[in-house]
Amino acid sequence: MSVSVSIIVPCYNVAAYLDQCMESLAGQSMEDIEIICVNDGSSDRTAEILREWRDRDGRVRVIDRKNSGVSAARNSGMEAASGKYIGFVDPDDVVERNMFRRLFDAAVEKDADVAVCGYHEFCDCGGMDMPESGWSPSAGFFPEEKAERFRRGTPWSRCAGTVWNKLIRRKLLEENGVRFVPGLRQGEDLYFCLMLLTVAPRLLILPDRLYHYRRERPGSASCGRDPRLGDFRMDLMGMESLARFWGERGLLDSPAAFGLVDYCMELMRRHFIMKEGAFFKASPEDREVLLSGWKKWLELVGAENVLPSLDRWDRAFCRLLLDCPLRSNFFSALHSRLMSSRKGRRGAYYTLKRHLMK
């Protein structure tokens, strides 16, 4: 039987937080919902708590599966969903009582493909001093936010980072096969959203902070990790899946290809210029994996056609990756070392060049 909203909650060893999350979902002012909880092979009391909630509230459904990661768990929830719209909630977070009513009513009124709200970040982790923060986007309705116009700074690119502050038309996900990349343990939200934008041009943004995101939970994938820098293998996996998805829709032969490469350049630079990046801490073998992976991705997206449109230093950065290994002499190595101290994209280019000369 169809409902208005399906809420998907992927659960893995979150017994300490689950009741608080489920209380916020069961207490929604919107009654016409289903809450699909996917127990991803938990070894604590998560499964028991989920069964208790299922017995208490008929809208709660529980799917048990062996541990395969958050991407596979969310995909399982999407396969089981019957709602007109789908939302995602992480099991250690909470939502405002009216979140899904607000998003659904606004989406129906505008016939939006995706409705987005702001969020509040909080931390309750053992005395860690972390200032409260969040995001309150500018309100707006964008009925023609097509992928061909994709650029950094556009409404879609500003909203692309997370899935848990969105309500998404399920029909679009089903008809276009939009799914999380299986096996992806970091950045899965970003790559899902960058696939979604190609098939969801009608974007609605509400400024209200209706979602409460828990930061730095012990045991979470993001705890203790620089949020700007993930595992480079995860980035390679996500970016390759993303490029293939765009390629199947002919977007790599459109102006959108520039926006995709420009957007992903930020990921490239970080791995090569940050002191925690792969070129500073990885083994020689891992460096080769990183280099060959970036080169493969640039070729996959048709970088030769996109390079002329890029910023001068981004273009040079990509050219280094495509043309490596590099020859060097004392003077060129010294020049690259001196110039690598420059700020911005020029400094990133010379930092990469210095490393590739080693």
Side-chain angles (χ1 to χ4, degrees), residues 17-312:
Y17 309 94
L18 194 49
D19 277 330
Q20 187 179 8
C21 175
M22 294 299 292
E23 286 172 2
S24 73
L25 296 179
Q28 285 295 294
S29 59
M30 182 177 190
E31 297 267 341
D32 188 22
I33 62 175
E34 63 178 357
I35 306 168
I36 303 175
C37 302
V38 183
N39 174 36
D40 191 35
S42 299
S43 57
D44 65 357
R45 292 188 61 251
T46 293
E48 180 182 344
I49 295 172
L50 290 177
R51 287 192 293 270
E52 292 173 355
W53 276 100
R54 181 185 59 191
D55 295 342
R56 189 185 314 175
D57 190 326
R59 299 171 300 173
V60 176
R61 301 169 58 188
V62 178
I63 299 173
D64 289 301
R65 53 172 295 134
K66 68 177 183 179
N67 180 249
S68 300
V70 64
S71 294
R74 284 174 172 163
N75 287 342
S76 294
M78 292 166 67
E79 294 296 332
S82 63
K84 296 181 179 66
Y85 284 83
I86 286 180
F88 299 92
V89 173
D90 285 350
D92 52 343
D93 299 337
V94 294
V95 301
E96 291 290 325
R97 184 174 183 272
N98 64 345
M99 173 174 168
F100 288 102
R101 168 58 68 190
R102 290 282 310 281
L103 287 174
F104 179 77
D105 286 351
V108 170
E109 179 184 356
K110 296 293 188 179
D111 190 30
D113 297 323
V114 180
V116 181
C117 69
Y119 57 85
H120 170 254
E121 296 181 344
F122 70 99
C123 177
D124 59 0
C125 40
M128 179 181 294
D129 184 18
M130 181 177 295
E132 292 189 358
S133 59
W135 181 58
S136 296
S138 299
F141 177 53
F142 306 89
E144 292 291 332
E145 193 63 18
K146 295 182 179 179
E148 285 80 357
R149 294 200 295 268
F150 177 64
R151 295 288 189 277
R152 280 190 292 177
T154 59
W156 240 125
S157 70
R158 294 198 303 271
C159 295
T162 61
V163 296
W164 33 253
N165 65 329
K166 295 175 176 62
L167 201 61
I168 305 165
R169 196 193 303 270
R170 183 171 67 90
K171 181 180 179 181
L172 289 177
L173 300 174
E174 299 300 321
E175 291 180 346
N176 295 280
V178 180
R179 291 292 185 268
F180 292 89
V181 180
L184 199 61
R185 301 186 304 275
Q186 295 174 6
E188 64 279 352
D189 287 23
L190 173 63
Y191 297 111
F192 176 89
C193 288
L194 291 176
M195 294 178 194
L196 173 65
L197 77 87
T198 67
V199 298
R202 299 178 65 82
L203 174 66
L204 174 66
I205 302 177
L206 303 181
D208 309 71
R209 298 186 182 187
L210 304 176
Y211 192 97
H212 297 266
Y213 171 70
R214 188 188 305 270
R215 296 179 60 186
E216 296 293 331
R217 171 176 66 82
S220 69
S222 62
C223 184
R225 177 171 57 85
D226 190 326
R228 300 170 299 168
L229 188 67
D231 181 339
F232 75 86
R233 287 182 176 80
M234 295 294 102
D235 284 331
L236 290 176
M237 181 189 300
M239 290 174 64
E240 181 175 350
S241 298
L242 178 60
R244 294 192 184 282
F245 188 92
W246 279 46
E248 291 169 359
R249 284 147 185 80
L251 291 170
L252 296 181
D253 297 322
S254 77
F258 163 77
L260 180 65
V261 175
D262 179 57
Y263 193 92
C264 291
M265 279 301 302
E266 193 68 22
L267 294 172
M268 292 187 186
R269 282 194 293 270
R270 289 168 181 170
H271 287 293
F272 287 101
I273 68 175
M274 290 177 63
K275 66 179 181 179
E276 293 301 319
F279 250 75
F280 284 84
K281 65 179 183 179
S283 66
E285 293 76 16
D286 280 348
R287 291 184 181 185
E288 287 301 317
V289 172
L290 174 59
L291 278 172
S292 62
W294 287 136
K295 185 173 182 177
K296 177 182 177 182
W297 185 79
L298 287 169
E299 293 170 347
L300 183 63
V301 299
E304 290 291 354
N305 298 323
V306 178
L307 288 181
S309 301
L310 291 177
D311 168 270
R312 171 190 176 186

